[in-house]
Amino acid sequence: MDHSNCSHSGHGEAVAGDDGRYDLVPAGYDGPVYTCPMHPQVRQPKMGSCPICGMGLELESAAMVDDGPNPELVDFTRRFWVGAILTLPLLVLTMGPYVGWPGVREIFGERATLWIELVLGTPVVLWSGWPFLERGWNSFRTWNLNMFSLIGMGVLAAWIFSVVAVLAPDIFPDGFRDPEGHVGVYFEAAAVIVTLVLLGQVMELRAREGTGKAIRALLDLAAKTARVIRADGTEEEIPLEHVAVGDQLRVRPGDKVPVDGVVLKGRSSIDESMITGEPVPVEKVEGDAVTGATINGTGSLVIEAKRVGSDTMLAQIVEMVAAAQRSRAPIQKYADKVAGMFVPAVIGIAVLAFIAWAIWGPAPALAYALIAAVAVLIIACPCALGLATPMSIMTATGRGAQAGVLIKNAEALERFEKIDTLIVDKTGTLTEGRPRLVAVMPEEGHDEIEVLSLAASLERGSEHPLAEAIVRGAEERGVAMETASEFEAVTGKGVMGTVSGKRVALGNLALLSDLGLEGATLSEKANARRDEGETVMFVIVAGKIAGLISVADPVKETTPAAIKDLHKLGLTIIMATGDNERTAQAVAARLGIDDIRAGVLPADKARLIRELQEGGAKVAMAGDGVNDAPALAQADVGIAMGTGADVAIESAGITLVRGNLDGIVRARKLARATMRNIRQNLFFALIYNASGVPVAAGVLYPFFGILIGPMFAAFAMSASSISVVLNSLRLRSAKL
């Protein structure tokens, strides 16, 4: 792939109000550039996090994607496992007395246990959680408050409070100490928050890594070399990147077309299914355009290169997939909105609590004031908030897998709940994806078996998908076939040969005309079949029409019921296909599809989705081919058929294992159940903490003498976490 056209100019001006301070790419730099999906004005030459929202940066150009593992994913995975290993015994020590293991702290004694908690919790906070502390500090420094502001503030407050409580418990007022003089610590809360947030980040990074896989899968489709014809007539194999516009290239039978070009000499049929999605090869003769990465059939071609490197259609598809994937806003935006309001409110309450205790509190007033303020910051950080979404997603993912629906990330489920428009490909999605013999219609004097036997015998020598359908149909019906001789393929018209001493031809109206025959009497019958979306061929025996053979890509058995169910779930269904208008209309009318777009190319599908999105629609796209990849990436939710191309699966957020449309019905029901479950979890995660903030501030002290203590904090954390886990597990029994 040619990287020379990867321009980095103009990005800084794209965002209103951007003064260029976030663009750190030096002038003349041509290496990889990293940018934020939510804030494209952020650009820098190395990996890192966005200074505005804290999100990890992604590659700006698809051409720069390499095969190596994502260093950030490797780093975060390592930090997560270290955090998890240290947090587990910390939880056992802390939660043991509340789950029926009261003796677990007595083994070491309370004082020694507190020191063990300090030793276990500190590496989790200061090493595993260091990236979040950095992002939290940046958010306060730039006043771009986000989820990391809340995490950093809560974790540090809990850790510092706990360290002081272990090292100098005597400085705390009596209201904060137990009868033995020990102060409650929050190491486990800080460690659990860090570990759960790391889990969420690892899940997000794994999902984003699918972008790179999709792009690499697309790049792998291209030919690696091209056979160039020199001016003196000699031929040479050269790397693809050395091909220049105007070069003459030889495309041998079975080879991939190296670049976009025009046929100069030769005749062949080319499999363009990666572009059109249609299984039937397209005949190519002198003057016809060919597309790079499509597969040549049995003929040899000489082509002139017209578009190379980043100008080819494949390269453009790659960039479309990358741009569409990069433009997605992550699920964290909602948490950031909450944090943007919650952080100032909590800080405000902490300040007010400090002032109130300093003025009206008992002696030592400043000690009470400081501890009340810190307690507000600790209790405000909802530990279970980090658990609310991942727990639901993990449970939903397992439930989806049981039902043949594979979920790539939380974002896909979140978005799918709000979808109101579904765009479906025809071939391989609504239909089976390969032609099948539908009908044999003999003329007077001939019978069905005879006509099919002659046609199948003739087509045995052809590799055309329509020929395969006829031969397979004859085999299924137990019709005997003979060996054909003098076989001849007439490009764009049909085939001819001799079977059992009879001259047999099979083809379209153009072949009929060449043979000097009139098919007018059968045209009505043929057109009626074509209106049903079928391909009709004439069978000619000994110079006379012996009958018609009809081949079609049949609709999947599950499709009609699935379309009805999707309509009931409130979806508008649009069919976008590379097939012709007549066939598309026939299929759409039979299935009750709301709208069709026929003869569309990959860029057209992605553009259609963009137009619908600009009009306010929430769009899902279901497809199975390479040609669908840009549209799958552009859609709010991409749904790939598990029976389709790898690149389609990598570009999609949801994959249907069995490749049937009824899987979308199950996915929709799962999305609704999951998002409802997450909202319930967020309520459980926040309610205990929200109720704890005023208690921590000391509003109950004047009336009841109640101060926040370790018991309440432990209860709040345990109750919220248990509520979230139990509620998430309900998804295992969700009806889909």
Side-chain angles (χ1 to χ4, degrees), residues 357-696:
W357 278 96
I359 297 172
W360 295 297
L366 284 178
Y368 273 105
L370 183 62
I371 289 164
V374 173
V376 168
L377 297 181
I378 293 171
I379 201 71
C381 191
C383 172
L385 194 62
L387 196 60
T389 299
M391 194 68 204
S392 288
I393 296 302
M394 283 190 286
T395 311
T397 302
R399 178 69 186 94
Q402 288 176 343
V405 178
L406 304 183
I407 311 297
K408 186 182 283 187
N409 52 35
E411 183 192 350
L413 278 173
E414 179 201 7
R415 289 171 177 259
F416 200 40
E417 183 206 28
K418 299 169 184 168
I419 292 298
D420 53 34
T421 304
L422 174 65
I423 295 179
V424 293
D425 179 43
K426 179 182 75 69
T427 308
T429 303
L430 297 176
T431 66
E432 291 181 1
R434 64 173 189 169
R436 184 186 289 177
L437 179 67
V438 177
V440 180
M441 294 160 280
E443 286 291 274
E444 196 173 335
H446 301 274
D447 62 40
E448 193 174 311
I449 292 174
E450 179 203 0
V451 171
L452 180 56
S453 175
L454 290 169
S457 299
L458 186 62
E459 290 284 30
R460 281 173 86 181
S462 174
E463 294 177 0
H464 199 284
L466 295 180
E468 287 178 19
I470 293 169
V471 173
R472 193 167 57 250
E475 288 171 348
E476 287 170 357
R477 300 180 189 200
V479 174
M481 287 174 276
E482 306 292 332
T483 301
S485 58
E486 301 172 23
F487 180 83
E488 181 189 353
V490 185
T491 305
K493 296 176 182 179
V495 292
M496 295 189 292
T498 302
V499 180
S500 301
K502 299 175 184 174
R503 194 66 181 161
V504 181
L506 178 70
N508 55 22
L509 275 169
L511 183 66
L512 224 61
S513 180
D514 285 358
L515 296 173
L517 296 171
E518 288 288 333
T521 55
L522 292 173
S523 289
E524 194 174 320
K525 188 188 287 187
N527 287 336
R529 306 293 302 202
R530 290 191 186 104
D531 287 339
E532 292 295 314
E534 298 172 12
T535 301
V536 182
M537 291 161 282
F538 295 90
V539 182
I540 300 108
V541 180
K544 293 182 180 177
I545 299 173
L548 300 175
I549 282 187
S550 177
V551 174
D553 183 9
V555 170
K556 292 177 181 176
E557 288 180 14
T558 55
T559 298
I563 296 285
K564 284 181 184 174
D565 288 341
L566 289 168
H567 277 135
K568 286 178 187 173
L569 289 168
L571 294 176
T572 300
I573 300 171
I574 301 171
M575 181 171 75
T577 176
D579 209 347
N580 62 73
E581 182 90 19
R582 187 176 218 164
T583 304
Q585 285 281 11
V587 174
R590 200 183 317 156
L591 295 173
I593 287 170
D594 301 299
D595 195 6
I596 66 160
R597 300 285 195 281
V600 294
L601 294 174
D604 299 326
K605 290 184 183 181
R607 188 163 52 247
L608 167 64
I609 292 170
R610 224 166 16 252
E611 288 169 3
L612 289 166
Q613 288 169 331
E614 286 166 2
K618 304 290 183 187
V619 185
M621 164 76 193
D624 71 330
V626 174
N627 63 309
D628 298 319
L632 289 167
Q634 177 64 45
D636 294 286
V637 179
I639 305 165
M641 303 293 137
T643 50
D646 287 348
V647 64
I649 293 168
E650 293 292 351
S651 303
I654 296 173
T655 300
L656 308 180
V657 174
R658 286 183 283 278
N660 294 333
L661 220 58
D662 55 1
I664 299 179
V665 178
R666 290 193 288 274
R668 173 77 159 191
K669 290 177 179 176
L670 182 64
R672 284 182 169 179
T674 305
M675 294 314 299
R676 187 165 58 245
N677 194 267
I678 288 173
R679 291 187 194 101
Q680 293 163 352
N681 281 353
L682 291 173
F683 172 80
F684 288 129
L686 290 167
I687 188 65
Y688 299 101
N689 302 88
S691 61
V693 167
V695 179

Side-chain angles (χ1 to χ4, degrees), residues 59 62-71 209 212-217 219-220 224:
L59 275 168
M64 295 292 178
V65 171
D66 59 31
D67 292 323
N70 181 343
E209 198 177 31
K213 286 182 181 175
I215 291 164
R216 284 195 291 275
L219 292 171
D220 287 343
K224 302 298 183 282

Side-chain angles (χ1 to χ4, degrees), residues 112-325:
T113 301
L114 292 175
W115 276 98
I116 292 170
E117 288 185 41
L118 171 63
V119 171
L120 291 171
T122 298
V124 180
V125 171
L126 297 186
W127 185 77
S128 293
W130 185 252
F132 308 141
L133 299 180
E134 258 189 329
R135 294 177 186 186
W137 166 247
N138 285 334
S139 73
F140 281 109
R141 188 171 54 80
T142 60
W143 206 243
N144 293 304
L145 299 177
N146 52 51
M147 193 64 191
F148 296 107
S149 318
L150 189 57
I151 292 163
M153 185 177 71
V155 166
L156 270 185
W159 181 77
I160 292 169
F161 178 95
S162 303
V163 170
V164 174
V166 174
L167 298 178
D170 294 340
I171 69 170
F172 289 80
D174 291 340
F176 287 84
R177 285 185 279 142
D178 65 19
E180 295 175 9
H182 301 125
V183 181
V185 296
Y186 300 89
F187 290 115
E188 84 289 348
V192 167
I193 291 165
V194 167
T195 305
L196 289 174
V197 174
L198 275 169
L199 174 63
Q201 290 292 299
V202 168
M203 288 170 69
E204 186 182 318
L205 285 166
R206 283 192 185 280
R208 279 165 46 199
E209 198 177 31
T211 307
K213 286 182 181 175
I215 291 164
R216 284 195 291 275
L218 279 167
L219 292 171
D220 287 343
L221 291 172
K224 302 298 183 282
T225 60
R227 195 169 186 82
V228 66
I229 303 173
R230 302 297 186 192
D232 59 1
T234 59
E235 297 184 10
E236 183 186 354
E237 201 88 16
I238 61 171
L240 188 65
E241 54 268 28
H242 293 172
V243 176
V245 174
D247 281 352
Q248 290 192 15
L249 307 170
R250 171 103 42 209
V251 185
R252 294 171 299 189
D255 282 357
K256 286 182 178 178
V257 178
V259 295
D260 297 1
V262 173
V263 177
L264 297 178
K265 284 190 284 186
R267 147 176 307 198
S268 185
S269 59
I270 289 182
D271 180 356
E272 293 188 334
S273 57
M274 66 158 278
I275 303 297
T276 64
E278 300 309 309
V280 179
V282 180
E283 305 291 346
K284 299 290 181 181
V285 295
E286 189 178 328
D288 287 345
V290 291
T291 306
T294 55
I295 300 169
N296 187 27
T298 53
S300 179
L301 297 173
V302 175
I303 68 168
E304 181 184 346
K306 292 292 186 184
R307 292 189 296 184
V308 302
S310 59
D311 293 330
T312 64
M313 183 172 285
L314 180 65
Q316 289 168 10
I317 291 174
V318 168
E319 286 300 336
M320 279 191 292
V321 170
Q325 295 254 21

Side-chain angles (χ1 to χ4, degrees), residues 10-20 22 35-43 52:
H11 288 265
E13 297 79 42
V15 179
D18 175 32
D19 56 9
Y22 296 118
T35 185
C36 175
M38 295 176 70
H39 303 97
Q41 69 267 41
V42 175
R43 301 176 70 244
I52 300 173

